Amino acid sequence: MPTLTWVGKDKVVNHHHEVPFRVLNKQYTFEAAPGTPTNSTDNRIIHGDNLEALKSLLPEFEGKVKCIYIDPPYNTGNEGWIYNDAVNDPKMQKWLGEVVGKEGEDLSRHDKWLCMMYPRLKLLRRLLAEDGVILMSLDGNEQRFAELLMDEIFGSVNRIETFIWKKSYGGGAKSKQVVNLHEYVICFARNKESIGEIILPPSDDARRYYKFEDEKSAVRGPYRLQPLATNSMDTRANLRYAIPFNGKEIWPEKQWQWSRDRALAALAANEIVINEVRGRLSVNYKQYLRDTDGEERGSKLYSIVESIYTQHGTNEIKSMFGDGKAFDFPKPSSVVMHFLQAFTHNDSLILDSFAGSGTTAHAVLKLNAQDAGTRRFILVETMDYAETITAERVRRVMNGYGSSKPVEGLGGGFDYYTIGDPLFTADDLLNEAVGVEAIRGYVAYTEGIRPEDQVTPDNPVSPYLLGRNTDTAWFFYYEPDRPTALDMEFLGGVQIGDKPGATIIYADRCLLSSDFMTRNGLIFKKIPRDISRF
């Protein structure tokens, strides 16, 4: 498989391992005003470096995100936008200086962009569910490099499509060569084999073709007529046969779409309509809006997305903030919603780590309102407008906005977080300032304890019990103001019922013999902290 090489790559391929786990500090909870519709409330908006935020989300969300949509910097070199889309941003320069070193001073814009994206995509892949997909919007500046980058990180076999979004419907007066009307949305799966068939709900335009009704309408809805004959060049003898009608035989010019048995069964069930048109008999089958279980017929996802334009996104921002320039080139919520319809279920978790103006949250809330879903979103925004634009847009979408043409609120709520202290110090010791709850959560994550097997300190067994399943019990014997010791006194105070196969106990010291530990299925793990100060 072709691979992409750039200056600084060797410095960033493993950088995601070096990014510290940090605590996420909740600043406030927002809930829509009383009287707004019911919508999802377990949502998050995080302000801070998205690389650190993604690492800090792993303990709770690794392998749980159904759909990731990101709209990263396009790297056009334009320094004037409120959403700085060039990696020459001072924060990025600082990061490149620390990670890539002096070598970073000579990087091209493409090198810098790839250095920035690589560790973020590595962490995004870990957050993605087995049947999840990632979608990345780009224009031609980095799309050709991003394709190879995604091949390397997600595997070329997991590429689904590079969609073409026709973002404009004309113009181009300022173009010197080619009028550019499109952008790209690169789509990869975590595991393409787990995706299954991709079906969109029927659009309003498609529904208008279903205008006939019969005795099945109560369950199957209206129907449209579709020709049973086909002009396919793939000649198959079993698809060429006569259909009986009023003592006559109707033969196709080439062949039918269905087998003889299927066609005759549909004819007997009144699901085939035969009419005479200009002296010739036409054979059409009834295509119902819904199947026999009452589920609406879906439509296919096309590689070209049309009829949704950049101007729609600008109009959304203008209607909310009174000024279309409050945020430059926002994605229309409809284009994100289009992909969410295809790749999520109504209870899916969606992540956007380049949240910008909050379009992804808007799309999630709109889709929930449309199909009564409970989809949740996590937004991460690095820039300083995370509160004043990103979160503010979401608040207005939830509560309603606009004066001349008011838009009703969609309801819902979210928690707003900032990124806090690292869990470990520079000496790889626990940063005890983050608190017991954060430390317990991290240890549970590193031990791979499933959420359903984790317990809180107020459990009836012991305040030090982390989790329990049929095979293993985990204890975190930690006190912030004194060292702890695994000894007989500790064991005597623990009653865990049926003995598991193994008991893992974290403490500062172990005072039990190795023979005793082995005989009783005990495993000691030392808490990584400096106890010399006690």
Side-chain angles (χ1 to χ4, degrees), residues 46 76 122 153 197 205 215 275 297 339 356 427 433 444 473 494:
I46 303 169
T76 64
K122 292 289 282 188
I153 293 173
E197 189 176 13
D205 286 341
E215 71 281 0
N275 294 313
R297 176 183 299 276
F339 291 111
D427 298 324
V494 173

Side-chain angles (χ1 to χ4, degrees), residues 165 167-169 308-318 324 329-332:
W165 172 41
K167 66 175 183 176
S168 303
Y169 40 78
I308 305 172
Y309 302 111
T310 300
Q311 187 61 41
H312 295 159
T314 301
N315 290 342
E316 285 179 329
I317 290 295
K318 186 175 181 179
F329 304 110
K331 288 291 181 296

Side-chain angles (χ1 to χ4, degrees), residues 79 150 179 246 250 261 272 403 426 449:
E79 299 289 338
M150 298 288 277
V179 179
N246 292 342
I250 306 174
D261 289 345
I272 285 183
S403 54
I449 308 174

Side-chain angles (χ1 to χ4, degrees), residues 7 22 110 234 262 321:
V7 177
R22 291 181 177 271
H110 299 300
D234 181 21
R262 182 181 177 186
F321 292 93

Side-chain angles (χ1 to χ4, degrees), residues 230-481:
T230 176
N231 292 322
S232 173
M233 301 300 290
D234 181 21
T235 304
R236 292 168 58 185
N238 66 316
L239 296 181
R240 184 167 176 77
Y241 53 85
I243 291 179
F245 177 70
N246 292 342
K248 300 179 182 179
E249 290 186 338
I250 306 174
W251 288 84
E253 288 189 13
K254 292 189 176 180
Q255 61 192 28
W256 306 114
Q257 294 189 53
W258 296 350
S259 68
R260 185 175 186 275
D261 289 345
R262 182 181 177 186
L264 294 181
L267 185 65
N270 190 30
E271 294 180 2
I272 285 183
V273 176
I274 301 175
N275 294 313
E276 186 172 346
V277 180
R278 299 187 183 92
R280 298 181 62 183
L281 293 173
S282 67
V283 182
N284 294 279
Y285 66 90
K286 297 178 180 179
Q287 184 185 77
Y288 293 91
L289 179 61
R290 298 193 290 265
D291 62 22
T292 54
D293 295 324
E295 293 292 326
E296 282 198 1
R297 176 183 299 276
S299 60
K300 293 292 185 179
L301 183 64
Y302 291 101
S303 61
I304 299 177
V305 180
E306 299 183 279
S307 302
I308 305 172
Y309 302 111
T310 300
Q311 187 61 41
H312 295 159
T314 301
N315 290 342
E316 285 179 329
I317 290 295
K318 186 175 181 179
S319 64
M320 288 182 214
F321 292 93
D323 182 359
K325 297 181 180 180
F327 191 93
D328 289 316
F329 304 110
K331 288 291 181 296
S333 59
S334 295
V335 77
V336 180
M337 186 173 165
H338 177 76
F339 291 111
L340 296 184
Q341 285 180 311
F343 293 112
T344 71
H345 305 307
N346 64 2
D347 61 349
S348 295
L349 177 62
I350 294 99
L351 169 65
D352 183 349
S353 57
F354 291 89
S357 70
T359 301
T360 297
H362 193 168
V364 169
L365 295 167
K366 282 174 63 177
L367 191 53
N368 282 344
Q370 178 176 297
D371 64 8
T374 56
R375 296 171 189 83
R376 297 174 294 141
F377 61 80
I378 300 174
L379 305 185
V380 183
E381 179 49 55
T382 302
M383 305 299 282
D384 292 337
Y385 53 72
E387 167 62 27
T388 57
I389 293 181
T390 313
E392 180 60 23
R393 175 181 183 172
V394 179
R395 283 192 287 267
R396 297 185 186 192
V397 169
M398 290 178 172
N399 273 338
Y401 58 90
S403 54
S404 58
K405 294 182 179 179
V407 177
E408 292 185 1
L410 300 178
F414 64 87
D415 293 325
Y416 187 87
Y417 289 82
T418 55
I419 299 175
D421 295 331
L423 280 161
F424 287 86
T425 67
D427 298 324
D428 290 329
L429 299 176
L430 277 177
N431 178 10
E432 299 185 76
V434 301
V436 177
E437 182 179 356
I439 295 172
R440 280 176 59 95
Y442 172 78
V443 174
Y445 166 70
T446 59
E447 286 291 339
I449 308 174
R450 299 181 306 174
E452 58 268 30
D453 295 329
Q454 295 179 29
V455 299
T456 55
D458 59 357
N459 71 87
V461 174
S462 167
Y464 305 111
L465 182 65
L466 269 181
R468 167 81 191 265
N469 60 29
T470 55
D471 299 319
T472 310
W474 292 267
F475 288 86
F476 187 61
Y477 186 21
Y478 169 84
E479 290 290 347
D481 55 355

